[in-house]
Every structure is written in C-alpha cells, then in structure tokens.
Amino acid sequence: MSQFAICRLAMGYELGFGRCAVGASDHLFRGSISNPNVPLEKRCSSFPRDGVSMHHSRLLLTFALSFCACMNLFAADATPFEPGQAKAWFDEAHRQCSIDHGRLWGASLCGPMMFVDPSTRRIIASQADAQGRLKPEQDVFIGRLPDEVSMSNSSLEWAGVSWAQMLWPMPADAGERRIIMAHESFHRIQPRIGLAPPPLAPPPGGGNDHLDALQGRYLMQLEWRALDQALAATDEKARRGHIEDALLFRAARHQQFPNAAATERALERNEGLAEYTGVTVGALSPVERVALARKDLAVREQTPSFVRSFAYATGPAYGLLLDRYLPTWRLQIRANDIGLSELLATALSYHPVTASEEEIQTRATAYHGAALLASEQLREQRHQKQVASYKAILIDGPLLVLPLHDPHVMFNPSTLVSMGDAGTVYPTMKVISDWGTIEVRDAALMSPDWKRLAVAAPTDASAHAGIVEGQGWTLKLKAGWQIAGGTRKGDLIVRKTDGDWEAPGSH
C-alpha cells in the first residue's frame, strides 16, 4: 500500500463523545486502493476527515493524525487554496443539497460551510459569520481560525454560526468531494433532527475494544462480506440469504461480547448515518450509491483497527438495504434509540437465535472464512507482541501523567491499541488542554474515562522556554504549570505551580 493510501486510511473518523458531538470521517480513495491501473497518487481521493462540533458546554474532542507528514505528500498535487475554487465547490455542494431538498432527514443539508488550510489556519467560508471575523472577498468570506479552535472535517460552532468545516485540500474527484460535504453537513444538522450523540462518558463508540480482539475482528469482517454480497445480489432470495448471514455474524459477535450491541449502535447512529448521508446525497444515481457503499466495505478491511472505523462501512450498507425493505426507517431511527441492523432484522422478520460455532463456520465458507481466520490469527500474534511492548513502557515503566480537563484531542483512530482496563494506546496524537499542548509521535496511553494521559517519563524534566522533550513526544507548558513528582517512584505529573489543581486518577 502506498504512503498516500496509508495517510488516507489513517486519518479522519468521527464519533459522538462524552459531552460533545464530534464529527469527522474518512473517504478513502474509493475503489482505487486495489486497482493497479490507478496511479498511486490517485489512489487517495480525499483528505483526512476529522472533526469537531461543540454543543453547549460539551467536551471538545477531535480525531486526527498529525497532518505534517501527510500534508507534505499532498502538497505537490494540491488544488490552490483560492476563493474562486472554493466558491465553485460551495456551489457544487449547494446543488446537491438542493436536489435532496430535505428529503432524507426532513431538514435541508444546505447551510454555512468553510474550508480551512491546516498549514496557515486560513478560512474560506461560504457566508459571513455573526461576529464580523470574516471579510468578504470574491463572493466568499476570508479569515483565520484562532489557534485555540480545532480544525478538522466536522461540524463546528464558531463565531455565532454552525458550520460544516472541511480541511484543504479537498479531493479532485467530484464524487468524493460531494460525499465529504454531505457527510459533514449531516453532522451540522444532527442536533436539529434529534440524532445528536448522547451526552455520555466515556465517548460513545469508545467501548468497541472488542473489535481489536481476534473473534471481534473476524466476525465483523464476515458481516462486511455478507453485506457486500447482499448489495451486489440481483436475486431476491440470494440477497435475503446474505442479509441473514450478516445478521447472524453480528448476533454471534454480540453474544461473545455482551456490551458490543450498545457500543456499536452508538457509533453507527452517529458516523454510520453520516456516511450513509454522504453516499446517498453525494452519489448521482442509485447504481453509484451501491458502488460507493461496497467500496466502503472493501476498503475498511485495510485499516489496522476497526474500533472507531467500522461504522463507515456498516452505515451505508445497512442504510441502503433499509431503503429497499423499510422506507420509513429514517423516521423510526429518529424517534427511537434503535440500531440499523435491528431495524433491518425487524423489516425482514429475521431475528437470529444463538448460532453454534459449527454453523458460523459453515456460513463463513461462502465468504472465505478459513483464509480470513488464518490471517486474523497471524495478526493476533503480532498484536499481542505489540501490547506487551506498550505495557512495558506505558504501564509498568516510569510515566509522565497529564490530567485532562476539557481537552482538544487529535489523533489517528485507525492505529489505536486497546490495553483493556488500563485504557487505549494512541501511537500518534496531539492534545491541547489547560496546561498547554503535547505532540505525541511515539505512543501515549489514554485512560478509559479520558481524564488522564500518560507518556514515557523524560530523562530530563526541565523546561526550556516552556518546552519539555521526551522519548517520542514534545510538551509545551503554559505559564503557571510545572512538572512535579508523581505517585510512584520515577513517575512525574503535570500540575499547577500554585498547587490549585485536581489530580487525575491514580496510576
């Protein structure tokens, strides 16, 4: 896989989190990842999609990989960031949302949009803001996004306006571009249509660690393959058979992992619905919708982790099948806390009972289950070695602990590693909190409640011009904060210099 492809796979997913609704997604060089006839530089058709939307006093979280390396890859082929091009794409988005005319969700997807250049934080917006921060220029509005505001593919409340925000460069492919803009526009209207993520902690979808386990991954991929065949089927009997297989694989996974049904449903109701909206509104025909949904399913298997990404595949697939079998499903999902797969099972009067291991393997034969399981077993061996390495450094070793209070968190969701009750390892991330900023290039451990971040303790904890360097990370402390001794021998902690602080959870 090319570096371009890795960047696309790595960047941009969105979830509803804690006290916030975070919106983002990744549209991954649809269909061209496995096409050797497509040049490598064209196998990535959209920029990473991460995002943020704040509602009331909710916790702000943004998912993204640090842009630096990938931005260098795109720089040579990027579309110039200029008002005329941005205006053309705003018009393109308006044409598509006007065609939908609120049909999908009972509310128009048309509304304020902005593009942001990550290297300069320069904004080109489709309309004026409510506070006069943007200035008119060539039929658009120009300004700069403040440093303290996260930039991402998302919905964003800023300067008195609810925006659909997207990072530049946008994909040159018109279909990809339409999908991205419709996806983020869905996140902008989510609260108004009764589908805002619930204000829960930890983040909804944050509990899908079972999708890092061998059986969780195996059964999820079997489900994807069955959904793909259901979308491709031209015979009604065959289509229903594949749908039943998909629902059976899902039921088996939920049987093995009791909390999976709730955590998967939460992510699908957020990112799954957003991606379904992007595909449905962005595509120009029913045939293209099916093709794009199938590509979502195929590409997803290429990602290292499914924990925060699976709904981008299942959302469009289940949504399009529901359009066929239960046209009123979008009204029902807005009125009830119910999942896409549950609605489809009800529509088909198929409620899978507990399946034996033998039946699962028999059904899996149609989807190359034996080869898939063998591949996942090899992957599990590598995964356990990785977990042991992270445990030695980020659990057993000396740590620098950073308390988290309403942070902005940017990370690569496709490489996360679950450490069970200890939390989740983020190989790369950026965190902005009240103490300053930390850039992580070589692993950090986030606690399950998102109140504590830990990195390997530095050999030299002294700050030089407010900057502390550690193994694979750089911390920029604000005035009034310092590094002090932690709760274990060798541990350190970031705290206020005046002592007026609240300690994070003990190690």
Side-chain angles (χ1 to χ4, degrees):
M1 186 182 298
S2 71
Q3 283 183 293
F4 286 12
I6 291 170
C7 283
R8 298 305 187 201
L9 285 168
M11 298 176 69
Y13 296 73
E14 41 200 327
L15 293 171
F17 268 123
R19 289 168 288 133
C20 82
V22 176
S25 62
D26 64 342
H27 286 285
L28 313 167
F29 44 93
R30 297 182 187 279
S32 52
I33 182 174
S34 58
N35 186 350
N37 296 318
V38 178
L40 289 180
E41 67 272 18
K42 299 301 183 184
R43 296 191 194 181
C44 308
S45 60
S46 69
F47 192 71
R49 313 182 59 198
D50 295 86
V52 147
S53 63
M54 293 193 67
H55 303 293
H56 312 297
S57 60
R58 293 174 177 174
L59 175 65
L60 176 61
L61 297 172
T62 306
F63 311 18
L65 180 65
S66 295
F67 311 126
C68 302
C70 289
M71 284 304 297
N72 289 336
L73 289 175
F74 306 138
D77 199 36
T79 302
F81 191 49
E82 53 90 18
Q85 184 63 78
K87 176 64 162 58
W89 289 348
F90 290 144
D91 291 345
E92 182 179 58
H94 187 77
R95 283 193 296 272
Q96 289 306 114
C97 67
S98 296
I99 292 171
D100 174 67
H101 197 56
R103 176 189 62 84
L104 211 61
W105 296 110
S108 176
L109 293 168
C110 296
M113 307 184 81
M114 69 163 66
F115 298 126
V116 183
D117 182 347
S119 63
T120 64
R121 304 186 74 87
R122 184 173 176 239
I123 297 169
I124 301 180
S126 63
Q127 69 166 61
D129 65 287
Q131 298 173 1
R133 300 190 186 189
L134 303 176
K135 304 304 178 185
E137 181 179 327
Q138 299 182 40
D139 297 322
V140 294
F141 294 81
I142 308 296
R144 185 181 184 279
L145 195 68
D147 292 341
E148 67 273 13
V149 179
S150 291
M151 53 182 176
S152 48
N153 286 357
S154 64
S155 61
L156 173 71
E157 298 289 337
W158 177 72
V161 175
S162 178
W163 306 90
Q165 179 195 55
M166 284 147 285
L167 298 179
W168 200 271
M170 293 288 282
D173 178 80
E176 276 296 328
R177 208 164 47 242
R178 290 192 298 268
I179 292 169
I180 292 173
M181 293 188 288
H183 182 121
E184 304 312 338
S185 295
F186 170 83
H187 284 303
R188 184 181 57 79
I189 68 168
Q190 252 183 296
R192 290 196 282 123
I193 61 175
L195 286 169
L200 301 174
N208 286 308
D209 290 345
H210 63 283
L211 295 179
D212 221 7
L214 189 154
Q215 281 297 310
R217 287 177 55 89
Y218 173 62
L219 290 167
M220 177 59 79
Q221 289 174 88
L222 287 176
E223 181 181 348
W224 287 343
R225 294 180 181 189
L227 288 170
D228 176 71
Q229 291 303 303
L231 290 171
T234 57
D235 174 79
E236 181 62 23
K237 181 178 179 182
R239 182 183 298 109
R240 283 181 173 252
H242 291 304
I243 292 173
E244 290 179 4
D245 285 348
L247 294 173
L248 184 68
F249 296 141
R250 174 166 286 220
R253 185 172 66 253
H254 292 175
Q255 180 185 353
Q256 290 192 36
F257 303 98
N259 295 325
T263 58
E264 289 180 12
R265 182 192 306 121
L267 186 54
E268 285 179 329
R269 286 175 58 90
N270 190 31
E271 294 316 313
L273 293 180
E275 186 72 352
Y276 160 78
T277 303
V279 166
T280 302
V281 175
L284 299 180
S285 69
V287 171
E288 187 181 11
R289 288 183 192 121
V290 171
L292 292 173
R294 294 188 66 198
K295 289 172 186 176
D296 263 334
L297 290 162
V299 166
R300 197 56 49 193
E301 290 193 21
Q302 305 297 323
T303 57
S305 173
F306 304 154
V307 171
R308 299 183 190 275
S309 67
F310 75 93
Y312 295 88
T314 56
Y318 277 115
L320 293 184
L321 291 168
L322 281 165
D323 287 343
R324 173 184 291 270
Y325 293 108
L326 187 64
T328 61
W329 72 271
R330 292 185 300 275
L331 293 175
Q332 294 186 38
I333 205 166
R334 291 170 62 184
N336 303 283
D337 184 17
I338 192 169
L340 294 164
S341 62
E342 297 164 88
L343 285 168
L344 187 57
T346 299
L348 298 181
S349 299
Y350 176 73
H351 298 281
V353 296
T354 301
S356 66
E357 181 65 23
E358 182 179 2
E359 182 180 1
I360 292 296
Q361 297 312 317
T362 298
R363 299 278 194 105
T365 302
Y367 310 103
H368 306 287
L372 174 61
L373 182 58
S375 174
E376 284 301 313
Q377 288 169 337
L378 290 175
R379 185 260 181 195
E380 179 66 11
Q381 293 175 15
R382 296 190 299 269
H383 177 67
Q384 290 304 321
K385 290 180 180 179
Q386 184 182 47
V387 168
S389 175
Y390 283 139
K391 181 176 183 295
I393 297 170
L394 295 173
I395 296 178
D396 298 335
L399 302 174
L400 170 64
V401 176
L402 301 99
L404 298 178
H405 302 123
D406 294 332
H408 299 219
V409 182
M410 292 160 275
F411 61 89
N412 170 6
S414 72
T415 59
L416 307 187
V417 178
S418 172
M419 301 298 289
D421 293 340
T424 302
V425 170
Y426 294 71
T428 57
M429 71 188 316
K430 178 179 180 179
V431 179
I432 304 171
S433 193
D434 43 4
W435 35 257
T437 303
I438 186 168
E439 297 260 9
V440 176
R441 302 176 298 278
D442 190 19
L445 180 67
M446 179 75 78
S447 65
D449 60 6
W450 284 67
K451 293 183 178 179
R452 174 184 179 276
L453 185 72
V455 294
T459 54
D460 179 7
S462 58
H464 303 281
I467 297 176
V468 181
E469 295 280 354
Q471 182 178 347
W473 56 264
T474 301
L475 173 65
K476 297 180 181 179
L477 286 173
K478 289 183 179 178
W481 291 84
Q482 65 178 352
I483 293 178
T487 56
R488 298 183 313 174
K489 183 178 180 180
D491 280 1
L492 301 169
I493 193 166
V494 171
R495 56 170 294 174
K496 287 184 176 180
T497 54
D498 60 8
D500 182 19
W501 66 293
E502 181 180 342
S506 60
H507 176 68

